[in-house]
């Protein structure tokens, strides 16, 4: 059974990818996941310099999900390249480096620095972060900003470039088209949905950051809708995510038009979930006489 998928010129052994921020730098999951069988994983979001992230509490469980305001804590690009990547050298999985910057120049610097690193298969630009030069408005919210940001990153790297979209916008398809126009090879969506929780003992927001990003099953129908719309709005491949917790969820996203899927929060509940979903997709294809992944289409199409 051939589960391989092609995102442009980049082939994955199967469509299952572990999502950024929920899979560390890959190595943390070695006791649970066979990295030779996993389609790919996206690293924790990296920046030029290490970051400590936000004050605690920065995570809280919610109905069918969780809220986080980690604040993009990470070890920084240099340490990733010197301490983590060499240990990942011989695994077959695709390595996607998720990255971000405070300014357009920082994005370009990151992409340039990663361009010649052969073991890195793709870059995933997280645009759901504050643009320091524009008073902290998120890069992701303005199509003109997204287009120009992607254009400048595109010029600085030949790597496969994925732009990760935020659902906290009026029309995600407009942002997806801006990323495509800017030269993205693929888009991935959705990042977390902004939310909050209040502690009734103190009557203060539970998270030190006050607001956080909602993820997990609670956002799945919203994410699926955005993926469905976006897959019809752009020609480049769409990587779908948001609340995928089992095989059926993954198959829904693939049917809605995603070429590959990412699994995030579900890794915290079952660190071996990616392996189970790969097996489940294989079983579904066998019982439904599906020969190749591109045959998994929504019947309305
Ligand atoms: C604790 C945590 C940290 C995350 N960190 C990042 C990150 O660094 N970069 C990024 O692009 N997305 C990050 N995300 C978003 C996930 O990659 C994913 O888009 C989102 O959680 C929706 O998928 P899920 O419902 O399967 O978790 C993070 C999510 C969680 C829960």
């Amino acid at each position: 059974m051939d589960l391989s998928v092609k995102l442009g010129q980049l082939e994955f052994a199967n469509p299952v990818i572990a999502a950024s921020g929920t899979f560390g730098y890959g190595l943390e999951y070695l006791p649970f996941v066979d990295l030779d069988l996993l389609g790919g994983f996206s690293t924790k979001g990296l920046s030029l310099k290490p970051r400590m992230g936000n004050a605690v509490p920065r995570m809280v469980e919610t109905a069918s999900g969780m809220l986080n305001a980690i604040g993009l804590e990470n070890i920084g690009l240099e340490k990733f390249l010197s301490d983590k990547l060499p240990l990942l050298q011989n695994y077959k999985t695709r390595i996607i480096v998720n990255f971000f910057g405070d300014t357009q120049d920082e994005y370009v610097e990151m992409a340039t620095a990663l361009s010649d690193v052969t073991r890195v298969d793709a870059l995933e630009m997280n645009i759901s972060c504050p643009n320091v030069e524009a008073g902290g408005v998120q890069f992701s919210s303005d199509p003109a900003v997204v287009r120009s940001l992607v254009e400048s990153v595109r010029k600085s790297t030949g790597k496969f470039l994925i732009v990760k979209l935020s659902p906290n916008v009026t029309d995600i398809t407009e942002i997806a088209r801006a990323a495509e126009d800017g030269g993205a090879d693929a888009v991935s969506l959705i990042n977390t949905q902004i939310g909050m929780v209040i502690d009734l003992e103190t009557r203060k927001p539970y998270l030190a950051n006050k607001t956080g990003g909602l993820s997990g099953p609670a956002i799945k129908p919203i994410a699926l809708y955005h993926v469905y719309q976006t897959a019809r709005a752009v020609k480049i491949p769409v990587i779908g995510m948001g609340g995928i917790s089992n095989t059926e969820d993954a198959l829904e996203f693939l049917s809605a038009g995603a070429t590959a899927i990412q699994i995030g929060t579900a890794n915290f509940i079952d660190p071996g979930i990616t392996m189970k979903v790969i097996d489940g997709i294989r079983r579904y294809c066998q019982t439904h006489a599906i020969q190749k992944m591109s045959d998994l289409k929504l019947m309305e199409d």
Side-chain angles (χ1 to χ4, degrees):
M1 175 80 230
D2 179 17
L3 293 188
S4 68
V5 291
K6 261 189 143 182
L7 279 85
Q9 292 309 305
L10 189 64
E11 188 165 302
F12 287 68
N14 60 67
V16 178
I17 301 169
S20 176
T22 66
F23 207 72
Y25 303 102
L27 300 162
E28 295 84 344
Y29 277 78
L30 285 175
F32 313 102
V33 169
D34 185 344
L35 289 184
D36 286 333
L37 299 181
L38 184 64
F41 76 88
S42 182
T43 65
K44 173 65 193 165
L46 287 165
S47 46
L48 283 172
K49 297 266 171 299
R51 284 171 61 136
M52 294 291 287
N54 291 329
V56 293
R58 51 189 196 173
M59 266 193 187
V60 58
E61 194 165 340
T62 60
S64 294
M66 62 175 279
L67 205 59
N68 92 82
I70 304 294
L72 296 169
E73 177 181 350
N74 76 93
I75 59 173
L77 180 62
E78 208 179 298
K79 221 169 165 47
F80 171 74
L81 294 178
S82 63
D83 296 7
K84 306 290 180 188
L85 199 59
L87 304 176
L88 291 160
Q89 219 54 251
N90 297 322
Y91 293 105
K92 293 200 189 92
T93 191
R94 290 285 187 200
I95 300 177
I96 302 171
V97 169
N98 182 287
F99 74 102
F100 66 95
D102 288 331
T103 61
Q104 184 155 318
D105 285 352
E106 277 183 25
Y107 274 96
V108 170
E109 233 181 293
M110 286 290 294
T112 307
L114 285 158
S115 287
D116 300 328
V117 185
T118 46
R119 186 59 190 91
V120 171
D121 297 301
L123 306 182
E124 184 175 50
M125 267 174 82
N126 177 7
I127 56 172
S128 306
C129 30
N131 179 352
V132 168
E133 288 163 329
V137 185
Q138 293 210 334
F139 288 98
S140 57
S141 54
D142 181 338
V145 171
V146 170
R147 188 191 164 134
S148 130
L149 180 66
V150 176
E151 257 169 12
S152 55
V153 169
R154 175 72 293 166
K155 282 189 201 125
S156 67
T157 183
K159 289 273 185 214
F160 190 83
L161 183 62
I162 304 163
V163 177
K164 180 152 176 190
L165 307 178
S166 165
N168 305 303
V169 295
T170 311
D171 181 358
I172 202 166
T173 62
E174 205 188 339
I175 308 291
R177 277 194 294 265
E180 182 176 44
D181 290 346
D185 293 308
V187 286
S188 59
L189 62 145
I190 59 173
N191 210 318
T192 55
Q193 178 82 47
I194 294 176
M196 71 187 295
V197 167
I198 290 175
D199 178 347
L200 283 178
E201 287 312 308
T202 57
R203 285 202 306 283
K204 286 180 177 168
Y206 183 88
L207 296 174
N209 187 57
K210 297 194 171 108
T211 62
L214 183 64
S215 62
I219 65 169
K220 197 195 93 180
I222 299 170
L224 192 61
Y225 165 72
H226 287 318
V227 165
Y228 172 85
Q229 294 287 346
T230 303
R232 280 148 186 81
V234 295
K235 293 188 187 69
I236 51 177
V238 170
I239 304 172
M241 81 194 92
I244 298 178
S245 309
N246 54 42
T247 300
E248 289 72 25
D249 294 342
L251 288 165
E252 277 191 72
F253 278 78
L254 293 167
S255 310
T259 304
I261 56 100
Q262 294 190 7
I263 299 181
T265 303
N267 290 299
F268 297 149
I269 297 163
D270 176 358
I273 187 65
T274 47
M275 298 289 104
K276 290 177 188 164
V277 171
I278 295 166
D279 286 344
I281 293 174
R282 182 176 295 110
R283 269 197 308 277
Y284 178 88
C285 291
Q286 276 158 357
T287 51
H288 291 77
I290 289 166
Q291 311 291 342
K292 52 185 191 311
M293 296 311 295
S294 53
D295 292 343
L296 251 182
K297 289 216 178 77
L298 206 59
M299 291 315 264
E300 64 163 18
D301 285 348

